Amino acid sequence: MTGFSYSDLMALDLTKLGTAATDWKTMAGELAKLATDVRDGLAKKSDAARWQGVNATVTRAFVGKTVKEFSDLQLEAESIANVLGDAHAELTRYQRQARTLTQAAGKGDPSHQPPDPGLLVFDGPNGSVRVSEKICAPEGTDQRTKDRMRWYADTLTGIVQHAAEVDAAAVRALRKSHGDDARNAGHARYTSLDEEQLPRAGELAGLGKDASPQQRAELRRLWESLSPAARAQLWPAQKDDLMAAGLLGPTMPQVAADAGAGIYDSESPGFDEWATKQKMNLLSEGADWKGMTDASRHMAHYLGNSGSPMSLPVNKMMADVPGFKSYVDDIVRTHQDDWRGQALEEFRKNGGKPVAFSVEAKAPEGFYFSKETDENWFYAVGGANSNVTGVVTAVPDANGNPKLGIDYQANVWDRYNWDEGKGVGIGPLEIPDGQMARLHRVGIAQEFDMSGSSGVHHYDLGSAVPHADPLPGPEESRDGRLNPGREQQQDRTAPEAGRGTGR
């Protein structure tokens, strides 16, 4: 699929591919019968015949070669059927996903307040996907809409790339199955596309934290394509590398909850705005002095005016606020029975052999860090989106019974903004509602995205029967991330970037 595009995927007629896969499966079955007839009939009779001489020798060799040729033809047909069947299933799934997302983007979300506008989806360069507003507002595009546009564009681009990669893998597998000699059947044998994709996934996983964003995206796509049995080969062997490469990162839309303060650098600052900024600098220092280090750090970054994203120390958030830890635990408890049932079913389908698959879940509502519960995180984050991502495994124990577990992490994301209705008061200093938000609009402070993940925890899901063991604490993660590291101190005293050019 050279130059394969979003439009190609949306319009692709997969009926012929499905028919071809069915026909090759039928052919493989018929060839298997012929191979059995030749082996059990012609070959046995030839070997049992009481004759000698040149003709006998030549005939037996010819019969033996014919038996092997029928067997090779059957194996080749079976391999081709498996490859075409996998490719058809994968491409059908991606086409369905692309059509569903396109429909959702076009509708927008009328239930959100204010309503999310409908979006247009169309081809971009080099197989990418572009997304724009159906109707451009005179005041410009708000942050929530920008986030939605970016998420749809990135997700749909990934789906198109995935479809192209599946097609390329199928072509390679078909060529290896057929071989270079049209008169000689039986070469590489494929039970699925796993044999073509698993080595590449292992290669990318080996890069770990050194994998580029493009390589990480490809690895996630390959992981999605692999069967539960193939994932069970990769996960225990390269678990740390896979986690370092970001395999457990959330795929749900990371979209701002609201429009924020407005368009950055869309108005001109005056004396009042500069006075507010100086007061906010004092507030930031006062928060640090009171031990509200995260609130201070985030406010300083807002005033630093770079707009660059910041990392959230999620383990620390769970340790500081037990209610947030309980919120994350409840997500796992709510879904563990469904995950257990899926694991048992996959384990059964795989003949009692190891399986692994990804899961992702969130609560119906996000978590709110109230001022009464924890003043530091109230001013640092406030309300935040959060979910749980992980890999569920099922492996046989010494008696062949399934042993189930999950490696999971908590993910948090939000946008730091001071929209209308938000004020702040720390100690004797207080700034009324709306004044801090205006600093963003006049270009002397800037909103920014915040996100982070906890360390990876392991939880035993039991076997066919659940148990009530407590979930691990934030300090029990595999990588031990609890204290805010150097990355949490980034841009604490960032130099002012100056007024932007508007966007």
Side-chain angles (χ1 to χ4, degrees):
M1 289 188 183
T2 304
F4 189 64
S5 68
Y6 162 78
S7 295
D8 293 331
L9 177 61
M10 293 291 284
L12 190 62
D13 182 1
L14 294 168
T15 305
K16 291 183 179 180
L17 180 58
T19 301
T22 301
D23 289 346
W24 276 99
K25 184 176 181 180
T26 300
M27 183 183 293
E30 294 300 322
L31 285 169
K33 294 177 183 177
L34 285 173
T36 300
D37 291 343
V38 172
R39 183 178 59 251
D40 294 345
L42 186 60
K44 286 186 176 180
K45 290 179 179 179
S46 173
D47 291 340
R50 296 182 179 180
W51 56 332
Q52 301 293 329
V54 175
N55 286 340
T57 302
V58 171
T59 301
R60 285 195 178 97
F62 174 78
V63 170
K65 184 177 180 181
T66 302
V67 171
K68 182 180 184 305
E69 194 66 18
F70 270 102
S71 179
D72 288 348
L73 284 168
Q74 188 271 328
L75 291 176
E76 182 175 315
E78 187 178 78
S79 181
I80 291 173
N82 291 334
V83 169
L84 292 178
D86 259 18
H88 178 259
E90 289 281 278
L91 291 173
T92 299
R93 180 157 60 95
Y94 301 139
Q95 185 182 71
R96 187 181 300 116
Q97 288 177 355
R99 289 175 174 174
T100 300
L101 287 173
T102 299
Q103 185 178 30
K107 285 182 177 179
D109 185 0
S111 65
H112 189 270
Q113 293 301 321
D116 288 329
L119 304 173
L120 293 173
V121 181
F122 47 95
D123 287 317
N126 303 316
S128 64
V129 176
R130 295 177 59 192
V131 178
S132 69
E133 295 174 277
K134 286 185 176 179
I135 302 174
C136 295
E139 64 273 15
T141 306
D142 64 49
Q143 187 59 48
R144 178 176 169 84
T145 301
K146 288 179 181 178
D147 288 348
R148 292 177 59 240
M149 289 164 56
R150 182 179 65 247
W151 184 82
Y152 277 114
D154 290 347
T155 304
L156 285 165
T157 296
I159 291 173
V160 173
Q161 291 174 341
H162 205 161
E165 289 163 357
V166 166
D167 177 74
V171 169
R172 292 193 301 269
L174 290 172
R175 285 174 177 166
K176 293 175 184 176
S177 297
H178 188 312
D180 297 326
D181 188 350
R183 295 180 176 84
N184 181 20
H187 299 278
R189 184 183 181 189
Y190 289 85
T191 59
S192 70
L193 281 177
D194 284 345
E195 287 99 330
E196 188 64 36
Q197 295 173 315
L198 186 57
R200 175 60 176 167
E203 177 186 340
L204 291 171
L207 298 174
K209 62 181 179 58
D210 296 325
S212 68
Q214 294 77 15
Q215 290 167 329
R216 290 171 182 243
E218 183 185 355
L219 175 60
R220 292 193 71 143
R221 293 194 296 268
L222 285 168
W223 174 266
E224 182 182 337
S225 280
L226 293 174
S227 68
R231 292 182 195 139
Q233 296 180 50
L234 191 61
W235 182 250
Q238 295 181 264
K239 181 187 297 186
D240 291 339
D241 287 338
L242 288 165
M243 292 189 298
L247 185 70
L248 294 185
T251 64
M252 291 180 177
Q254 296 188 31
V255 175
D258 50 51
I263 306 302
Y264 173 70
D265 194 23
S266 58
E267 303 174 18
S268 298
F271 175 80
D272 289 345
E273 285 73 43
W274 290 107
T276 297
K277 182 165 184 175
Q278 295 309 312
K279 189 183 291 187
M280 286 187 71
N281 278 318
L282 292 174
L283 276 171
S284 176
E285 293 177 9
D288 195 36
W289 181 79
K290 286 188 65 176
M292 297 163 56
T293 56
D294 300 284
S296 172
R297 177 172 63 94
H298 290 184
M299 189 177 292
H301 190 59
Y302 177 66
L303 299 173
N305 202 22
S306 70
S308 60
M310 290 196 76
S311 175
L312 289 172
V314 177
N315 274 5
K316 182 176 184 293
M317 296 168 74
M318 291 194 291
D320 290 350
V321 185
F324 178 55
K325 170 65 168 57
S326 297
Y327 171 86
V328 172
D329 288 353
D330 285 344
I331 295 176
V332 177
R333 291 192 185 97
T334 299
H335 293 87
Q336 64 178 346
D337 287 342
D338 290 338
W339 295 338
R340 183 184 299 105
Q342 185 180 350
L344 290 170
E345 176 63 16
E346 294 291 352
F347 184 79
R348 182 195 63 78
K349 285 162 51 177
N350 199 36
K353 297 177 182 178
V355 292
F357 56 90
S358 295
V359 295
E360 185 170 17
K362 71 187 307 269
E365 301 292 337
F367 186 84
Y368 188 76
F369 295 89
S370 68
K371 187 175 182 179
E372 295 72 24
T373 300
D374 192 287
E375 195 173 20
N376 172 47
W377 287 111
F378 168 72
Y379 284 119
V381 175
N385 291 295
S386 182
N387 77 354
V388 168
T389 52
V391 172
V392 175
T393 56
V395 298
D397 61 16
N399 299 315
N401 298 315
K403 181 180 179 181
L404 314 178
I406 181 172
D407 294 292
Y408 71 96
Q409 68 183 29
N411 310 290
V412 181
W413 62 93
D414 192 22
R415 185 162 180 85
Y416 187 91
N417 60 43
W418 294 93
D419 46 72
E420 298 295 338
K422 288 184 180 177
V424 62
I426 298 175
L429 293 174
E430 186 170 337
I431 300 178
D433 294 352
Q435 290 188 12
M436 291 174 293
R438 182 163 169 74
L439 301 190
H440 173 82
R441 294 195 299 274
V442 302
I444 60 176
Q446 191 169 174
E447 298 172 357
F448 57 91
D449 292 326
M450 304 177 289
S451 64
S453 299
S454 71
V456 178
H457 310 277
H458 181 80
Y459 183 58
D460 184 1
L461 292 172
S463 56
V465 180
H467 58 72
D469 289 356
L471 276 79
E475 71 283 355
E476 298 174 48
S477 61
R478 289 172 54 88
D479 55 13
R481 286 184 289 163
L482 178 59
N483 296 319
R486 185 178 303 169
E487 70 275 9
Q488 269 74 55
Q489 302 305 320
Q490 64 181 11
D491 291 334
R492 185 174 182 79
T493 56
E496 181 162 324
R499 292 190 68 211
T501 58
R503 53 178 181 167

